[in-house]
Amino acid sequence: MDYKNAVKNLEKNGYLDIPVPKDLNLVDEINRLRQEKNVVILAHYYQVPEIQDIADFVGDSLALAQAAAQTEADMILFAGVHFMAETAKILNPGKKVLLPDLLAGCSLAESAPKDKFEAFKAQHPNHVVVSYVNTSAEIKALTDIVCTSSNAEKIINSIPKDQPIIFAPDRNLGSYLIQKTGRDMLLWDGACEVHEEFSLEKILELKKENPQAKIIAHPESRDYILNIADYIGSTSGLLKYVQESDAPAFIIATESGILHKMAQVAPDKILIPAPPVNDGSGCACTECPYMKRNTLEKIYLALKYELPEVNVEEELRKKALVSIERMLELS
C-alpha cells in the first residue's frame, strides 16, 4: 500500500498500514527518528515489554500526565490509549502528539458518553464533579477536577465535607473511595472491562497453591476482589509494594503488562497474574486489547510519517485543561 492510500485508510485502520521491511532494525530506526525530530516517547505500564523498553518514560496515568506537562520535546509519541494522548495534547497545544493506533481506546472512557453524562450532571447541579483521568476530553470539560488512582483519595479529601460529589466513570474505584473517605458520593455506572474480569474462585485457588503469596489489586477491580486483597493500590503503588515487600510471591489483579516492570525491579520475586473468569485463548492473564494494539512497527511508522496525530479543538481543550491543572496542582 502506498502512502496516499494508507492515509486515506487511516481512519478505518486506526494506523498507517504500510509494509515495514522485515530486515529493518526497528529499535535503531525508532532511536534515529526520535533524535532527529526531538520526540519523547511516553509509555504506560500496560504496553508490551518491547515498547516499555524503548520508551523515554514509563509510568501510570498520573506520572505520564506529569511527564507530558513537563516535557521540552518538540513532539510527543504516546504509547498508550487515546485518552492519554488526548490529555498530553490538552497540556501541550503547541506540540504534535502522535498515537501509534487511533483505535487504541478505553472501555472505561467509552462507558461515559458525553450526552448522557451531561444530562446526568444537569440533574445534580449542586454537585462537584470528580472524574477519573480515563475519560474523553468532552467529559474532562464537564469536570471540576480530574483524578487518577494514585491521587483520588487525596483529591476527594480536599473537597469540603458538606459538598456533594459526583464521581465518574468507574463505579468500582468510586465504591472503594467511599469506603476509604467516608464520603457519600454519587457514582456513574462505568467500569474497565479488564478489571471486571478477574475470577475470585481462580484467585483463591492460586492462593491455596501459593500460601505465601500476597494478593494485590488495583481499585478498578470489583469489590469481591478488593475484599480479599492484602494490598490495594494504583499501578505505580502495586509496583512499589512488590519492590518493597518482604513477601516472596504476589498474585497481581491488574493488567498483566505491569509484570514486565515488576520483574525488572524485583527479579527475585514470584509474580503470578490474576486469571480472568473466562478466556478462550488459554492465556492465564488478563490483558487490555486496546493497550496491546500498539507495536514497534506502528511506532516506527508514526515517527516516520508523523501520523496518526491527536488533536483537540481549542475551545474544548481550554475547558478540559482546567480540571487537569487542578489535579496537577494537588499532585
Side-chain angles (χ1 to χ4, degrees), residues 150-162:
S150 296
N151 61 21
E153 186 177 350
K154 179 179 182 180
I155 284 172
I156 296 300
N157 284 332
S158 74
I159 298 170
K161 292 187 176 181
D162 60 349

Side-chain angles (χ1 to χ4, degrees), residues 13-33:
N13 296 327
Y15 60 94
L16 286 174
D17 189 13
I18 299 176
V20 176
K22 292 183 179 180
D23 60 347
L24 191 71
N25 188 312
L26 288 170
V27 173
D28 286 350
E29 285 301 302
I30 288 169
N31 287 334
R32 178 183 65 79
L33 287 166

Side-chain angles (χ1 to χ4, degrees), residues 193-217:
E193 66 182 45
V194 173
H195 291 92
E196 288 272 282
E197 284 300 308
F198 294 117
S199 167
L200 176 62
E201 181 181 358
K202 292 178 181 178
I203 290 175
L204 292 176
E205 288 176 1
L206 283 173
K207 178 67 174 178
K208 285 183 181 179
E209 296 168 4
N210 303 272
Q212 292 182 306
K214 296 287 187 181
I215 299 173
I216 62 175

Side-chain angles (χ1 to χ4, degrees), residues 87 95 196 201 209 219 250 319 326:
T87 300
K95 299 182 189 296
E196 288 272 282
E201 181 181 358
E209 296 168 4
F250 303 88
K319 291 179 180 178
R326 286 175 180 164

Side-chain angles (χ1 to χ4, degrees), residues 18 25 183 190 200 219 224 233 252 262 286 318:
I18 299 176
N25 188 312
R183 302 298 291 270
L200 176 62
Y224 53 75
I252 303 150
M262 286 179 173
T286 303
K318 288 179 179 178

Side-chain angles (χ1 to χ4, degrees), residues 203 206-207 209-217 229-232 237-254 258-259 262-263 265-275 284:
I203 290 175
L206 283 173
K207 178 67 174 178
E209 296 168 4
N210 303 272
Q212 292 182 306
K214 296 287 187 181
I215 299 173
I216 62 175
D230 297 292
Y231 174 79
I232 301 168
L238 297 176
L239 180 64
K240 184 178 180 183
Y241 184 82
V242 166
Q243 188 173 13
E244 297 180 352
S245 172
D246 293 330
F250 303 88
I251 299 168
I252 303 150
T254 194
I258 188 62
L259 272 72
M262 286 179 173
V265 301
D268 57 328
K269 304 293 177 67
I270 298 172
L271 307 173
I272 308 167

Side-chain angles (χ1 to χ4, degrees), residues 116-126 129 166:
K116 292 183 179 179
F117 187 75
E118 193 168 25
F120 179 75
K121 178 184 176 181
Q123 293 171 4
H124 308 281
N126 62 329
V129 178
I166 289 173

